[in-house]
Amino acid sequence: MRIVIKVGTSTLAHATGRLNIRLVEELIKVLSDLKNAGQEVILVSSGAIGMGVGKLMLPKRPEDMPGRQAAAAVGQCELMYVYDRQFMEYNHTVAQILLTAEDLDDDRRRLNFENTVFRLLELKALPIINENDTIATEEIAVGDNDTLAALVASAVEADLLVLLSDIDGLFTADPHKCPDAKLIPVVEAITPEIEALGGGKGSALGTGGMVTKIRAARIATEAGVEMIITNGSKPQVLYDIAEGKSVGTRFLAEGRK
Ligand code: GLU
């Protein structure tokens, strides 16, 4: 199975912007094990800006574009350093790919990207993808990694896209506000009612929120890729997902309902 896994800043880092070491180590262990079991794994990782904020000891995420770009340039190095070192423990080789929306819109560049990913998978390397935040000005940026992950999953014809989030899945109402909100285990079609559940807001360091996740679900499912939103606080759920167990919210792919 070819799985694209997206991990957000709120999962990778503490609210301070510094790395959540325990979580990242668990995630890397599980991903390494899935690869050992023969799964094709592609990671879409946020955290460049958040970790740059932490490493530069900035009081908060910069509001201006050059500030965010500088933070991303610092943080992306740190992020890949952590992945490279930790995956090495389990004998896995990582490969960094940085993309902008323009790369995926342009046929020739997208083809180059796809060919590189396919070759990396043949070589048993683990592609780790992020937006190229240092050059992605607003006009050419995908803007959030939920959408980026969905575009990547469609381009590489993944079987499954998993968004690891700080929430258990999609609820019938905002669970922070409504204590009796219920988790929706399966979404068969992205109706206006489902879209209305998107609500607002992401975290202080990341970009996403439920709106971008539902947009990602639309892109992925229209391309025939099933998508799961689940809580990333226990990376072991990825074992259950690989075994087809019901976890979080599953958006059924079009044509596979
Ligand atoms: N590309 C951004 C980063 O690495 C994250 C975007 C997002 O949080 O969706 O910091």
Side-chain angles (χ1 to χ4, degrees):
M1 183 156 72
R2 182 173 297 157
I3 319 175
V4 174
I5 294 157
K6 181 260 174 177
V7 57
T9 307
S10 56
T11 304
L12 292 171
H14 294 288
T16 56
R18 305 299 291 219
L19 193 70
N20 184 335
I21 296 174
R22 182 172 53 181
L23 198 134
V24 169
E25 287 186 352
E26 275 175 29
L27 176 68
I28 290 171
K29 193 167 163 184
V30 174
L31 294 179
S32 297
D33 206 14
L34 289 176
K35 274 181 69 62
N36 286 351
Q39 310 283 8
E40 290 185 334
V41 177
I42 296 163
L43 185 62
V44 174
S45 178
S46 305
I49 299 174
M51 287 184 62
V53 169
K55 194 148 197 218
L56 292 165
M57 294 199 265
L58 304 177
K60 61 180 176 57
R61 186 182 158 104
E63 266 149 38
D64 62 319
M65 186 56 100
R68 284 200 296 275
Q69 291 174 321
V74 171
Q76 183 65 28
C77 283
E78 171 82 353
L79 197 58
M80 288 311 293
Y81 172 68
V82 169
Y83 283 132
D84 193 22
R85 204 185 46 196
Q86 288 288 326
F87 275 110
M88 196 83 88
E89 292 268 312
Y90 302 103
N91 258 315
H92 288 292
T93 300
V94 299
Q96 170 184 264
I97 303 180
L98 298 176
L99 294 172
T100 64
E102 274 194 331
D103 300 321
L104 294 166
D105 285 346
D106 181 280
D107 286 345
R108 198 166 48 96
R109 289 204 221 170
R110 196 185 56 247
L111 189 65
N112 285 336
F113 161 68
E114 290 164 10
N115 288 339
T116 305
V117 171
F118 294 143
R119 182 58 61 89
L120 286 168
L121 294 175
E122 268 168 47
L123 294 167
K124 309 284 177 222
L126 192 152
I128 302 182
I129 301 172
N130 195 358
E131 178 123 38
N132 195 351
D133 290 310
T134 53
I135 59 155
T137 54
E138 247 134 68
E139 311 78 69
I140 66 160
V142 176
D144 70 88
N145 276 7
D146 296 325
T147 311
L148 179 69
L151 294 170
V152 164
S154 338
V156 304
E157 293 169 15
D159 300 294
L160 181 64
L161 166 63
V162 181
L163 302 184
L164 293 178
S165 175
D166 53 2
I167 190 158
D168 293 343
L170 182 66
F171 284 80
T172 51
D174 183 345
H176 301 295
K177 294 188 195 131
C178 301
D180 38 73
K182 297 215 165 33
L183 181 79
I184 304 174
V186 178
V187 173
E188 292 195 2
I190 302 165
T191 57
E193 290 75 28
I194 293 290
E195 282 191 324
L197 295 175
K201 118 172 183 71
S203 66
L205 289 166
T207 314
M210 203 42 88
V211 185
T212 57
K213 289 180 178 51
I214 291 175
R215 190 195 307 148
R218 180 178 289 287
I219 296 170
T221 55
E222 278 178 2
V225 181
E226 197 162 282
M227 190 186 103
I228 292 175
I229 303 176
T230 190
N231 201 314
S233 63
K234 298 211 170 48
Q236 288 78 358
V237 293
L238 291 168
Y239 289 123
D240 295 338
I241 290 173
E243 286 166 17
K245 293 188 188 147
S246 170
V247 169
T249 300
R250 182 181 291 263
F251 294 80
L252 301 188
E254 288 192 7
R256 296 192 197 176
K257 282 169 195 160

